[in-house]
Amino acid sequence: MDDFPTRVLLTLRRFIGVPLPATDYSIHAAYQTNGNRYRVRLASPTSASINVDLPRHGADGEQIGTWWYVGALRQTARMASVGTLPFVRDDHGHRVVEAADLVAVGKLSVEGELTEQDALDYVIGDLTGDPLWHEAAASAAPDLYRLVGFDLRTRAVVRVYLLCDYGTIGVDLALYDADTGRARNVGWWAATKLIAILNPDDGETLAAHRVYVTTDPVCDAVYDLTNWA
């Protein structure tokens, strides 16, 4: 069975009913119109709604990663807010935008748009076993840990709290890539690396990253993995 529509809905759910940044547009509808497009309706209390038709496949014929839709919708909403969004009207008078056309003329980035909030959302989803990233589970690795909380320490660092054989530990992860200076792409190494570092057959791995000069009342110990990737 084709799971693409489900993955789109899981990707967009965080933005349902919440204004997209710097606009008063929010997602009010999302559904597949045919085999090649996915339509999202952006609605605003001050302006007419916009139907954004998002391509399912890129110019190379490859299926587009659903997270690209997030950036495309943000950019589209911003253009609509400042009156620079080109659109046509369908037979019912509704405003319709072809995202592929905006890409073709350089108004939408083919690389997508990521923020630290996106990176944080991914980390939490990844570590809890969110079905967007994993088969349905209570944790990405329930035999090793369970995510029980988080604390955004700075714009670039999140501390995740894990319940594991070591007690409740705080693990600092970087939300920004050290080489590019940009927010980490969704789908990076968070759960995979934690599974490796919590491996019960290698007790020294985690200990090498313990931070002794800080305390956190939420956990028993703190470990810094911001430079371990």
Side-chain angles (χ1 to χ4, degrees):
M1 181 180 293
D2 182 13
D3 69 347
F4 185 79
T6 299
R7 295 187 67 79
V8 173
L9 293 173
L10 289 171
T11 302
L12 297 182
R13 66 186 172 182
R14 173 178 145 216
F15 307 95
I16 296 172
V18 179
L20 293 165
T23 80
D24 61 1
Y25 284 96
S26 58
I27 295 173
H28 279 220
Y31 51 89
Q32 188 161 282
T33 57
N34 56 44
N36 296 316
R37 290 184 180 85
Y38 204 93
R39 173 166 288 188
V40 174
R41 185 171 75 247
L42 300 179
S44 160
T46 59
S47 304
S49 61
I50 306 165
N51 291 315
V52 184
D53 285 345
L54 298 155
R56 178 164 175 167
H57 299 90
D60 57 2
E62 295 293 321
Q63 184 166 282
I64 290 175
T66 58
W67 206 263
W68 180 82
Y69 285 7
V70 174
L73 291 169
R74 285 176 178 152
Q75 294 173 62
T76 300
R78 287 199 296 266
M79 285 186 281
S81 292
V82 297
T84 61
L85 181 68
F87 61 86
V88 298
R89 293 192 181 273
D90 63 16
D91 295 340
H92 303 286
H94 299 145
R95 298 194 294 177
V96 179
V97 174
E98 286 281 358
D101 292 344
L102 298 181
V103 171
V105 297
K107 287 184 174 291
L108 284 184
S109 170
V110 295
E111 297 182 358
E113 177 183 282
L114 286 167
T115 68
E116 67 272 11
Q117 291 296 321
D118 298 332
L120 174 60
D121 181 71
Y122 164 71
V123 169
I124 302 306
D126 186 28
L127 301 189
T128 55
D130 189 306
L132 177 59
W133 309 107
H134 301 274
E135 295 292 334
S139 167
D143 55 325
L144 288 179
Y145 71 86
R146 289 185 183 275
L147 180 70
V148 294
F150 76 94
D151 182 356
L152 190 62
R153 307 289 289 186
T154 71
R155 183 170 179 264
V157 176
V158 61
R159 178 169 296 170
V160 294
Y161 296 110
L162 309 175
L163 182 62
C164 62
D165 289 343
Y166 302 95
T168 300
I169 63 174
V171 178
D172 290 346
L173 303 174
L175 298 179
Y176 277 74
D177 185 277
D179 295 328
T180 66
R182 300 175 62 187
R184 284 187 182 274
N185 204 344
V186 294
W188 57 288
W189 54 260
T192 302
K193 285 292 187 177
L194 282 176
I195 289 171
I197 208 166
L198 294 174
N199 189 333
D201 296 327
D202 187 357
E204 296 300 316
T205 305
L206 184 64
H209 299 275
R210 184 163 181 179
V211 180
Y212 290 96
V213 296
T214 185
T215 60
D216 186 333
V218 179
C219 58
D220 302 314
V222 174
Y223 301 87
D224 184 1
L225 300 189
T226 54
N227 295 315
W228 193 62

